[in-house]
Amino acid sequence: MLPPPPVTSRDETVAHLHDLLRRETGGQKRQAGQVRQSSAVFALPGVPVHPDLRDSFPTGLRLGSVYTLSGSTTVAMGLLAEPTRTGSWCAAVGLPHFGVESAAAWGADLTRLVLVPHPPSQDWVSVVAALTEIADLILTSRPPHVTPGEVERLHARLRIRRTTMIVAGAWPRAAAHIEAVTTGWDGLGQGYGALMRQRLRITVTERHRERTADLGWPVQAAQAVQAWPA
Amino acid sequence: MSRMLPATSTPVRVLALWWPGWSLIAAQEAAGAPADAPLAVVAKGIVLACSAAAAAEGVTEGLRIRHAQARCPDLQVLLHDPEVEQRAFEPVLRVIEQRAPLVQVIRPGLAAVRAVGIARFYGSEAAAADALAAAVQEEFDHDVRLAVADGLFTAEQSAYATTGEVPWLQVPPGGSTSFLAGLPVTVLSAAVDDARMPNMLRRMGIRHLGEFAALPRGDVHARFGATGLRAHQLACGEDAPAISPRSVPLDLDLRVVCDPPVGDVEQLVAQCTPAVDRLITALMEHALVCNQIRLTLHTEAGLVHERLWRHPWQFTGAELLDRVRWQLDEFSAETSERYDAVTLVTMAPESLESASHHAEGLWGDRPDEHVVRTVTQLQARLGHDAVLSVSVGGGRLLDERRVLRPWGEAIPTSAQRRTDQPWPGSLPGPAPSTVFAQARPAVVLDAEGAVVRVDRRGGLSMPPATLRLGDGPARRVTAWAGPWPIQQRWWRNPLNVNRFQMIDDHNEAWLLLAGGEHWWTEARYD
């Protein structure tokens, strides 16, 4: 029997091995033309984001951290889309009104999405913790009351499993805050037309640095009027 | 198909067992109807078989269903179902298989065995037929007819030639041609699976198989092709040199008898565990994959709860036990009275496929073992339908277009989801990211403060000016458009509402449903 290595190094080792495994087996089918970020083991690429959101997240979402999101749900859908397309699993917890078609319109691969619409409030932390086992990105609604101890444990868990969590609401220790404000709508008049396009302003505040980008969604709304893709 | 084996002039000796009116027997047993009732089995509107009571009223086979009902007003119509007949035939086949090996099922109600072996065993063909008939009639009280002849076709035809008084017939070796000569040519239509050729022969004045067999084979072949050649060989008494016995289906059904009855879920699961493990082992041994299972619970009070569970890939033992747990939970939730104990659990695998076909499943690759395990554990903790997978379906209302299924159940195919059909009334532009499962009431007022009314054609009484959701504060409407009519199932449950899009002064966009003076929010664009 070998003596067990010290805890900190074991955690790091586990995280490191897990990450290697994920890269080997996670089926990260990179699209042609998508630049593979640095292949050095420790310069880890973040969770991939949809090309239309690249202006706000040039390096993707940081692995293992918590983002808070206020404002637009559309942006949350967009953030879910790219990881599912590149072979990761994602989860949506506590979002009973999840607009499936909107996620599909962003190009999400719905077969890699797990939905837990009504987690019991006393189980909320354990459900999220269980999902960190498989998901690279977890989108949750505002959680019920969580104690500082639970927050701490969940953070450690997310860090070790390298899972990113996006909370639509407040969270005590978020790494960054995403504010997505709808600045206007195109196409709707007084009694005529139809909503064709949403104009958003996305502000990402991370360590007192702000990055603001404007986005029109859908990007190709200028095309002919057409029904949603089924 | 044995019928497509090449024919030779020395066909195998075959003993055929025939149960007249099997479709009626099977349908009557399945429906639980009394035997002396006027019954008729119907396929495509034509009577296939009818009971003696119905025949006494003048119902005959081949009659149209309406004519039959006119002749016999209290006729009970049973639908022809090959699966039911096959299932009813299964126990009979087992009895035959105990006496004679390698049974071929020609169709439910007609089976064949090689006569040589059993004739040697029982002493003679007649003794063998007697022994089989006695064995079958001991178990089942149905009228059975037997015949021994050269080749399957002749044996089948000679079985039809038996009567109630003479229930067994023997065509001596080499006597096929003379026996068949007197039969009408139409008997060929089932054997060669072509009704047109025998009809053509009849119109050509060739009425009997003897006349047909007398034609030069080359001419028949030239005129009717392979079908004609095959028919000519049969008419000449040539048939396949072997029969193709059925492969005995695996009996994988589980029965777990609980004695004394069990009321506790975990106890029941513990009792089922060894049987489930055996089932999984058997599946592994036979390289089979099971993705549908019918689970039945019988309780002490005589209640039966049955449910079909599906799985997109294949069941594992733990997953099957989870299904037992969930079904028991479901069952105890449904029965409002005191929940009583379970006496019997049966599990019947419904769809078994060879594992080799499942290398790439119908629904894509089975996800990583680790993913499946994690999610099923979560499901076991929160409940079967607390963890969902999603897809987009067809429908007019947005909530219908979200297809939510318990994780691990097969996502319906796109045909079932009807995504490729046009859905009139669907909206242009982006899809709303928040779709309410239940539309929420809203109030829409005009500039005067009166409720905006929508007439049946979707016209508004006044342009909307303020919007109040539930009992929230009033919001000013800055832009709006509509109507997009939704007319759904007007023949059953008329839903006649119109959709409107509105933007309020908070820059939030809403999708509203309106009918009369009632307004609801269906979704939010945000």
Side-chain angles (χ1 to χ4, degrees), chain A residues 18 25 71-75 77 89 95-102 104-105 110-120 123 126-128 130-131 133-134 161 182-186 188-198 200 217-218 225-230, chain B residues 313 363 367-368 370-372 374-375 378 381-382 385-393 398 401-404 407 411 419-420 426-438 440 464 477-482 484 501-503 506-511 524-526:
Chain A
H18 180 77
T25 62
S72 169
T73 320
T74 306
V75 173
M77 300 281 171
W89 283 79
L95 299 162
H97 305 305
F98 188 89
V100 177
E101 280 186 283
S102 175
L110 297 176
T111 56
R112 293 186 171 273
L113 189 61
V114 179
L115 228 63
V116 185
H118 303 282
D123 285 347
S126 67
V127 168
V128 173
L131 286 167
E133 288 278 338
I134 55 163
R161 313 278 349 170
T182 308
T183 52
W185 299 88
D186 292 350
L188 200 63
Q190 291 293 332
Y192 61 87
L195 283 177
M196 293 311 292
R197 191 179 178 137
Q198 179 177 10
L200 291 155
W217 176 254
V225 172
Q226 55 171 10
W228 301 327
Chain B
W313 303 284
W363 297 273
D368 187 11
H370 177 61
V371 171
V372 174
T374 307
V375 179
L378 198 60
R381 210 172 69 201
L382 301 178
D385 42 12
V387 184
L388 308 173
S389 50
V390 296
S391 56
V392 178
L398 292 184
R401 298 178 64 94
R402 298 196 296 185
V403 181
L404 304 174
W407 200 89
I411 290 275
T419 43
D420 43 2
S426 61
L427 290 159
S433 50
T434 303
V435 175
F436 302 123
Q438 287 248 308
R440 304 169 169 196
V477 176
T478 56
W480 62 278
W484 284 270
Q501 290 178 332
M502 288 187 194
I503 302 175
H506 298 267
N507 241 339
E508 286 192 324
W510 303 88
L511 189 59
R524 184 173 67 217
Y525 296 85
D526 61 351

Side-chain angles (χ1 to χ4, degrees), chain B residues 253-263 268-269 271-272 275 294-307 324 327-328 331 339-348:
Chain B
D253 291 14
L254 285 189
R255 286 172 64 84
V256 181
V257 180
C258 308
D259 192 28
V262 178
L268 184 73
V269 169
Q271 289 215 6
C272 291
R294 190 173 291 283
L295 188 57
T296 320
L297 302 173
H298 299 254
T299 68
E300 217 171 4
L303 293 171
V304 178
H305 187 268
E306 185 178 274
R307 175 165 173 180
V324 174
Q327 185 160 335
L328 201 58
F331 181 42
Y339 160 67
D340 62 344
V342 174
T343 53
L344 173 69
V345 180
T346 63
M347 267 190 212

Side-chain angles (χ1 to χ4, degrees), chain B residues 168-518:
Chain B
W168 119 266
L169 202 125
Q170 188 177 21
V171 179
S176 296
T177 325
S178 52
F179 168 78
L180 294 171
L183 296 179
V185 285
T186 45
V187 299
L188 286 170
S189 51
V192 295
D193 202 16
D194 178 9
R196 279 194 325 222
M197 189 204 74
N199 276 334
M200 172 80 73
L201 290 173
R202 230 165 27 87
R203 292 205 302 274
M204 289 160 80
I206 300 162
R207 312 243 154 170
H208 296 287
L209 290 183
E211 300 160 19
F212 180 52
L215 298 174
R217 183 165 293 181
D219 295 356
V220 175
H221 191 176
R223 175 64 184 79
F224 295 109
T227 316
L229 177 66
R230 175 94 194 152
H232 195 267
Q233 286 171 334
L234 291 177
C236 297
E238 297 173 25
D239 207 338
I243 67 169
S244 40
R246 68 175 192 146
S247 52
V248 181
L250 281 174
D251 186 12
L252 290 169
D253 291 14
L254 285 189
R255 286 172 64 84
V256 181
V257 180
C258 308
D259 192 28
V262 178
D264 176 58
V265 179
E266 290 311 317
Q267 228 180 327
L268 184 73
V269 169
Q271 289 215 6
C272 291
T273 308
V276 167
D277 289 347
R278 276 201 304 276
L279 170 68
I280 297 294
T281 320
L283 288 172
M284 294 268 285
E285 275 173 8
H286 295 283
L288 287 170
V289 164
C290 166
N291 54 19
Q292 279 190 49
I293 197 139
R294 190 173 291 283
L295 188 57
T296 320
L297 302 173
H298 299 254
T299 68
E300 217 171 4
L303 293 171
V304 178
H305 187 268
E306 185 178 274
R307 175 165 173 180
L308 184 70
W309 295 94
R310 287 195 183 81
H311 195 290
W313 303 284
Q314 56 168 312
F315 281 113
T316 62
E319 282 167 347
L320 283 177
L321 292 172
D322 269 340
R323 303 299 186 271
V324 174
R325 226 176 251 129
W326 293 333
Q327 185 160 335
L328 201 58
D329 289 345
E330 208 175 89
F331 181 42
S332 41
E334 278 175 21
T335 47
S336 48
E337 72 256 28
R338 201 186 66 76
Y339 160 67
D340 62 344
V342 174
T343 53
L344 173 69
V345 180
T346 63
M347 267 190 212
E350 291 262 317
S351 69
L352 291 166
E353 285 161 3
S354 161
S356 58
H357 299 172
H358 264 257
E360 174 99 12
L362 196 52
W363 297 273
D365 270 346
R366 179 180 181 134
D368 187 11
E369 203 58 51
H370 177 61
V371 171
V372 174
R373 204 174 46 240
T374 307
V375 179
T376 40
Q377 277 170 0
L378 198 60
Q379 236 176 347
R381 210 172 69 201
L382 301 178
H384 182 49
D385 42 12
V387 184
L388 308 173
S389 50
V390 296
S391 56
V392 178
R396 288 187 178 79
L397 293 174
L398 292 184
D399 185 44
E400 285 178 359
R401 298 178 64 94
R402 298 196 296 185
V403 181
L404 304 174
R405 282 290 159 92
W407 200 89
E409 279 198 12
I411 290 275
T413 61
S414 60
Q416 289 167 319
R417 286 185 274 153
R418 303 177 299 165
T419 43
D420 43 2
Q421 295 176 15
W423 289 101
S426 61
L427 290 159
S433 50
T434 303
V435 175
F436 302 123
Q438 287 248 308
R440 304 169 169 196
V443 180
V444 176
L445 307 173
D446 62 13
E448 311 286 308
V451 175
V452 177
R453 295 185 45 85
V454 183
D455 62 27
R456 291 190 60 86
R457 314 262 326 246
L460 295 180
S461 57
M462 287 295 280
T466 52
L467 163 69
R468 190 178 314 130
L469 306 160
D471 35 20
R475 300 155 175 248
R476 204 163 47 77
V477 176
T478 56
W480 62 278
W484 284 270
I486 307 177
Q487 271 146 6
Q488 185 158 18
R489 290 196 279 270
W490 47 266
W491 55 91
R492 227 187 327 163
N493 179 6
L495 169 72
N496 189 348
V497 290
N498 287 284
R499 273 205 182 106
F500 290 86
Q501 290 178 332
M502 288 187 194
I503 302 175
D504 62 22
D505 46 5
H506 298 267
N507 241 339
E508 286 192 324
W510 303 88
L511 189 59
L512 291 117
L513 297 172
E517 49 190 38
H518 298 285

